[in-house]
Amino acid sequence: MEERYDPKKIEPRWQAEWDRTELYKTGEDPGRPKFYVLEMFPYPSGAGLSVGHLHNYVPCDVIGRYKRMAGFNVLHPMGWDAFGLPAENEAILRQAHPSEMVPRYAANFRRQLTISGCAYDWSREINSSLPEYYKWTQWFFLLLYRRGLAYRAMGSQWWCDKCGTILANEQVINGCCWRHTDNPVSKKDLEQWYLKITAYADRLLEDLDQIDWPEPIKLMQRNWIGRSEGAELAFPVKGHQRKEVRFFTTRPDTVFGVSFMVLAPEHPLVAEITSPQQRAAVEAYVSEARRQTEIDRLSTAKEKTGVFTGAYAHNVFSKNDIPIWIADYVLLGYGTGAIMAAPGQDQRDFEFATKYGLEIPRVTAPLDGTPPPSDRAFTDQGVAINSGFINGNQTADARQAICQYAERHGIGKATISYRMRDWLISRQRYWGCPIPIVYCKNDGIVPVPDDQLPVRLPQMKEYLPAGTGRSPLANVPEFVNTTCPKCGGPAERETDTLDGFACSSWYFLRFASPHEKRFAFDRKAVDYWLPVDLYVGGAEHAVMHLLYARMWTKVMFDSELINFQEPFPVLRNQGVVWAPDGQRMSKSKGNVVTPDAMIDKYGADALRLWELFMSPFDEPTNWNEGGVADTQKFITRAWNFVRRYVEAGAPDGKPSTETLKRVHQAIAKITDLVERFRFNTALAELMALLNVLQRLAPAELNRFIVESYVTMLAPMAPYVTEEIWRALGHNESIHLSSWPKHDPELAREDTVTVVVQINGKVRDRLTLAAGTDEDAVRELALKSEAVQRNLAGKPPRKFIYVKDKMLSIVV
């Protein structure tokens, strides 16, 4: 071994060797179990990778390397989410063509990942903008169409002026475009393509209980789906024959207290029922409401406003005629776009009624017999009052009685409503997957036959969005004009392209057999590798990519194309790495820290170790370059430790029992920590173990100790450990060696620290022999002076004991 550790010499040499020998090509040994680890499909941007991106990629690389050493066939592929708005907007900004820019950016990403030591199988690299990939995106769209899950409809949709296209509900964040966070969106009426994701709402909701995901992500999906049980009812509009206001409510038990109705300003009934006297006021209000985002309209801080239409509905339960208003806090896209207002039982309705002097009937009283409050709505469940035939019924029974009455009299029924709307999937942009549909005067909407796929995206020099509601593809006659696959007559192609999220809804399947030409994937390969064992990415995709991919997977399962219903049974979210100034890293702010700069200064291994050590994987942190300098010093210490051992002839010495015990405990602990994504703690244990081993003479060590140490460090610092491994006399790569196994008897702790809590607060710590039984722990704890002082004479009501860990006393 050289005296000095020099990453600039070591790292390029081993990278070239790994590339030459195809070290990281996916193994498919039938005698080994499989492990598929995957990061979310990245879009290759012009800024390249930052050290923040590596906080995702390095930990996944460590897991992949560890699993390979632990005896698994590992699939760890990489590819590019190259179609869609991000790529096209970047190309416009750079005055380039996306077809030329995307491969250049992808090559730079690949270079950065490679010099960072990430062990991807590049023979499986995919690119969603290539015809051999998007042919199958089109095929899946047609599968959805054939199953009645893709349809075209007119709708008022979000429009981003900067993008020049329609956006899905999920792509509007805080009232702005998800790509242009400073640009408020507006509404535009266009005929669009939708995917019926609502048909899978219940399964998407129910199956969340079957997957190991962070609870906040599950909660976001539950809230986005928004399942509500209640009733859909209808009140006729007075003076307008066969017109009715149909609405959904979760509180049908309060219908006797409905004193007014509220419609969304965009509701089609508004124009039909508004009286001449109120028309001017109503039209002005409608115009203003359409300029506001849903976020603004639903804001709890916003004062509730509305306008009376001049029309009345007949409450078929109370027999009263009640005014119909419009208000911007009611949205056409949710439920039926109309609500009943029972102001005595709903605080928002109470405030609205108070402001406009509307009647506030009280129809629910507390269960304890006291009257409902007069200064606010009573929103709890209770007992029905002033409610005709349901008087005296408690809320649950009253709900059921109203639903039964409504069904018997043909005025409504019990039903379930969802907040989630169908997925708007068409975009009026050039750089995307063409929608494989043609329009024929004789045959209407006609899907392109499978044998004519892919419908290729034509090369366009001028591809800027027109801003007219039509894609630039509409200006290419040779693309638009075609023949009808059904009748052979003249037809026109669909000129919208698919949302980029369509491409990422199935890419994880393609990696199993990326060169398959007969179909999107080889079924045998998918049956072996899928579902993904570990999926890693940002929480910002909770209600977009993660929801869409789950829906497409369920459609494929229903179509008997695959044998699983959830694509990602295990999901982990990395924490955000902020710039040193605490802001998000951004090229415009000049605060981006690149891996290139860190590798040039400290080496890739030092950078990787700091990515793992600087914080728990799932917690945010600020970047601190000083940490990379520190991990470089740690590598130097490890280098010198092994060099001293090698120079002494790498003796198979006689370590003490205490040393062996410490090493086996470290192996057990580090294995557990790596499995649980606790890389910072695992590395801390490696550092602590090195402190112990450094103090020993070479004769007090053996090859098992030294090689176990180097092997455990290898997934985290692949270059330096490869160099050390060869210096220890091995001819094969360390990354093909086996992960060390601990002896359970030697790894067993002799003593443990048991934490003693009283009512959840730590009051003492007891050092005890491992395995001490609960009765003895209780007795020792109750004799503790600190425990006695905090009990203050109160007798324990309950003990909870976690063996060798904690005793909790409840008083």
Side-chain angles (χ1 to χ4, degrees):
M1 284 178 72
E2 303 222 1
E3 185 172 344
R4 182 174 165 270
Y5 157 66
D6 184 356
K8 287 191 175 180
K9 195 183 214 180
I10 291 170
E11 292 177 359
R13 184 171 76 247
W14 286 118
Q15 188 60 59
E17 178 65 10
W18 296 338
D19 292 345
R20 186 188 69 79
T21 58
E22 297 183 323
L23 182 66
Y24 301 124
K25 198 156 188 181
T26 305
E28 296 186 346
D29 182 341
R32 291 179 169 222
K34 68 93 178 179
F35 190 81
Y36 183 0
V37 54
L38 184 65
E39 299 94 336
M40 290 185 185
F41 213 16
Y43 148 65
S45 70
L49 292 172
S50 73
V51 291
H53 293 107
L54 289 191
H55 197 50
N56 180 9
Y57 298 124
V58 169
C60 284
D61 184 61
V62 171
I63 286 290
R65 289 174 178 276
Y66 157 73
K67 286 290 186 180
R68 190 179 291 110
M69 296 171 84
F72 287 78
N73 290 327
V74 173
L75 174 58
H76 189 196
M78 178 53 67
W80 316 112
D81 191 10
F83 258 155
L85 294 175
E88 186 173 325
N89 288 341
E90 175 77 8
I92 292 169
L93 182 66
R94 305 293 170 200
Q95 297 184 322
H97 197 280
S99 66
E100 298 165 356
M101 183 198 73
V102 164
R104 191 167 67 249
Y105 284 3
N108 185 47
F109 264 51
R110 176 170 171 169
R111 178 192 64 79
Q112 289 181 298
L113 289 168
T114 299
I115 64 172
S116 300
C118 292
Y120 294 109
D121 180 354
W122 290 109
S123 70
R124 293 177 182 251
E125 182 180 11
I126 61 176
N127 181 325
S128 67
S129 66
L130 296 179
E132 57 263 34
Y133 183 91
Y134 70 72
K135 169 183 180 177
W136 301 110
T137 304
Q138 293 174 345
W139 189 92
F140 283 122
F141 174 85
L142 293 176
L143 172 69
L144 290 157
Y145 180 79
R146 288 192 292 268
R147 295 182 70 88
L149 296 169
Y151 65 93
R152 201 165 183 246
M154 179 67 75
S156 179
Q157 300 298 338
W158 294 117
W159 176 269
C160 174
D161 290 326
K162 285 190 177 180
C163 289
T165 190
I166 288 295
L167 302 175
N169 289 327
E170 296 88 338
Q171 292 170 320
V172 177
I173 301 170
N174 295 327
C176 295
C177 169
W178 70 295
R179 294 299 306 172
H180 301 106
T181 55
D182 60 343
N183 189 55
V185 295
S186 57
K187 283 289 182 84
K188 182 170 278 199
D189 294 328
L190 286 174
E191 198 162 20
Q192 300 286 295
W193 280 96
Y194 296 84
L195 297 187
K196 201 176 289 184
I197 193 170
T198 51
Y200 284 80
D202 280 334
R203 286 167 65 183
L204 290 169
L205 203 56
E206 291 162 6
D207 289 353
L208 284 172
D209 294 332
Q210 311 302 318
I211 53 182
D212 178 9
W213 285 18
E215 199 52 44
I217 301 296
K218 290 185 178 183
L219 183 61
M220 280 190 269
Q221 289 210 356
R222 288 188 184 105
N223 288 343
W224 188 260
I225 295 167
R227 186 181 190 275
S228 299
E229 294 185 9
E232 187 174 289
L233 304 170
F235 289 173
V237 180
K238 282 204 70 180
H240 294 268
Q241 198 171 6
R242 290 191 294 276
K243 296 293 178 187
E244 61 184 14
V245 178
R246 187 162 289 276
F247 58 93
F248 173 82
T249 176
T250 59
R251 291 292 303 271
D253 57 293
T254 65
V255 287
F256 281 90
V258 175
S259 59
F260 61 100
M261 306 291 295
V262 185
L263 304 181
E266 305 89 345
H267 198 292
L269 265 182
V270 173
E272 298 180 47
I273 66 173
T274 298
S275 68
Q277 297 87 345
Q278 292 295 109
R279 189 163 300 281
V282 166
E283 288 177 351
Y285 190 88
V286 170
S287 178
E288 175 60 27
R290 285 179 66 88
R291 285 196 289 268
Q292 298 178 54
T293 68
E294 290 185 8
I295 297 294
D296 291 335
R297 286 170 62 171
L298 292 174
S299 171
T300 54
K302 182 179 180 293
E303 184 183 4
K304 301 297 178 282
T305 62
V307 173
F308 177 41
T309 63
Y312 291 82
H314 182 68
N315 184 331
V316 297
F317 293 93
S318 69
K319 309 304 181 188
N320 295 326
D321 293 334
I322 56 177
I324 302 173
W325 285 63
I326 61 170
D328 57 12
Y329 66 81
V330 180
L331 304 176
L332 185 62
Y334 296 110
T336 64
I339 65 165
M340 68 173 212
Q345 289 65 232
D346 182 281
Q347 188 61 27
R348 183 183 60 182
D349 296 343
F350 179 88
E351 292 167 6
F352 192 92
T354 301
K355 178 176 179 177
Y356 291 106
L358 301 170
E359 188 182 351
I360 305 178
R362 304 289 179 165
V363 294
T364 307
L367 288 169
D368 61 8
T370 59
S374 60
D375 60 340
R376 65 184 186 280
F378 177 69
T379 58
D380 294 339
Q381 297 192 16
V383 61
I385 59 172
N386 305 319
S387 297
F389 65 87
I390 61 169
N391 271 340
N393 280 313
Q394 292 190 13
T395 297
D397 294 334
R399 284 176 181 169
Q400 187 176 4
I402 291 295
C403 291
Q404 290 171 347
Y405 179 92
E407 289 190 30
R408 281 199 309 271
H409 292 81
I411 56 173
K413 61 180 180 179
T415 190
I416 295 168
S417 181
Y418 299 92
R419 179 183 183 273
M420 180 172 67
R421 307 263 61 85
D422 281 340
W423 173 11
L424 170 63
I425 200 169
S426 50
R427 297 290 178 270
Q428 296 69 48
R429 293 294 290 261
Y430 164 69
W431 189 244
C433 175
I435 297 176
I437 291 290
V438 300
Y439 301 100
C440 173
K441 288 183 179 178
N442 295 325
D443 297 304
I445 296 174
V446 182
V448 174
D450 291 355
D451 61 6
Q452 293 180 25
L453 299 179
V455 175
R456 288 179 177 265
L457 185 68
Q459 189 75 7
M460 286 184 72
K461 189 175 180 181
E462 299 296 331
Y463 63 87
L464 295 182
T468 61
R470 294 204 74 191
S471 162
L473 290 174
N475 300 321
V476 185
E478 56 270 31
F479 174 79
V480 175
N481 298 320
T482 186
T483 56
C484 174
K486 199 169 182 181
C487 70
E492 292 188 353
R493 292 193 188 279
E494 171 62 73
T495 57
D496 282 357
T497 53
L498 291 173
D499 179 8
F501 283 109
C503 302
S504 59
S505 291
W506 72 278
Y507 79 106
F508 44 91
L509 292 158
R510 185 67 177 172
F511 279 131
S513 50
H515 309 297
E516 174 63 44
K517 293 181 179 176
R518 294 165 298 177
F519 189 54
F521 50 79
D522 176 73
R523 177 63 189 264
K524 187 178 178 183
V526 164
D527 284 349
Y528 176 73
W529 285 113
L530 275 291
V532 175
D533 294 285
L534 175 64
Y535 198 47
V536 180
E540 66 272 16
H541 295 295
V543 296
M544 290 191 283
H545 162 62
L546 288 172
L547 200 58
Y548 300 153
R550 293 182 64 217
M551 181 250 187
W552 278 45
T553 300
K554 292 180 189 303
V555 173
M556 290 184 226
F557 175 81
D558 293 347
S559 305
E560 299 183 347
L561 297 174
I562 56 177
N563 61 9
F564 56 93
Q565 298 196 53
E566 286 292 337
F568 319 121
V570 178
L571 170 72
R572 296 293 177 262
N573 300 134
Q574 78 275 12
V576 175
V577 178
W578 304 104
D581 57 10
Q583 299 185 69
R584 185 175 288 277
M585 290 190 193
S586 162
K587 213 172 179 182
S588 62
K589 293 174 184 171
N591 62 0
V592 175
V593 182
T594 68
D596 308 62
M598 295 296 99
I599 291 168
D600 184 62
K601 196 169 180 180
Y602 303 102
D605 283 335
L607 171 60
R608 288 169 63 95
L609 292 182
W610 182 239
E611 292 282 357
L612 299 165
F613 191 66
M614 62 183 170
S615 69
F617 171 76
D618 53 358
E619 292 183 12
T621 189
N622 288 5
W623 179 255
N624 174 13
E625 184 179 330
V628 193
D630 290 339
T631 51
Q632 187 189 50
K633 291 174 186 174
F634 163 69
I635 292 171
T636 300
R637 285 173 52 220
W639 175 274
N640 290 336
F641 160 67
V642 180
R643 181 174 59 82
R644 187 165 59 95
Y645 177 74
V646 169
E647 288 175 352
D652 208 10
K654 293 186 177 180
S656 67
T657 303
E658 183 183 349
T659 300
L660 284 171
K661 190 173 187 65
R662 179 69 180 83
V663 170
H664 281 273
Q665 287 172 344
I667 294 171
K669 190 172 182 181
I670 291 165
T671 303
D672 174 64
L673 290 167
V674 170
E675 286 275 4
R676 294 191 293 115
F677 257 59
R678 296 291 179 254
F679 304 108
N680 60 325
T681 316
L683 186 50
E685 180 66 16
L686 279 167
M687 291 174 176
L689 181 58
L690 182 60
N691 290 339
V692 173
L693 300 180
Q694 271 184 315
R695 293 195 290 266
L696 302 175
E700 296 176 283
L701 300 167
N702 63 15
R703 291 192 72 89
F704 171 79
I705 289 173
V706 176
E707 292 187 357
S708 292
Y709 188 87
V710 178
T711 306
M712 288 191 290
L713 184 59
M716 303 182 192
Y719 293 107
V720 68
T721 52
E722 186 76 283
E723 183 78 6
I724 289 172
W725 193 247
R726 302 306 172 99
L728 286 167
H730 296 277
N731 295 320
E732 193 175 55
S733 171
I734 190 171
H735 305 297
L736 297 176
S737 66
S738 297
W739 186 260
K741 289 184 169 60
H742 69 276
D743 181 329
E745 192 58 36
L746 279 172
R748 189 170 58 84
E749 297 279 358
D750 292 329
T751 61
V752 294
T753 299
V754 175
V755 173
V756 182
Q757 294 181 344
I758 299 176
N759 286 356
K761 292 185 178 179
V762 176
R763 297 305 186 187
D764 202 359
R765 287 178 171 83
L766 305 176
T767 301
L768 306 170
T772 302
D773 66 62
E774 183 176 351
D775 289 340
V777 175
R778 285 191 192 186
E779 184 180 346
L780 289 166
L782 292 174
K783 287 179 180 177
S784 158
E785 184 182 331
V787 171
Q788 285 295 325
R789 184 171 62 252
N790 283 282
L791 284 175
K794 296 176 185 174
R797 185 164 57 85
K798 186 178 181 182
F799 292 92
I800 302 169
Y801 182 56
V802 179
K803 189 174 182 180
D804 290 344
K805 301 282 187 183
M806 180 193 74
L807 177 70
S808 180
I809 304 171
V810 181
V811 298

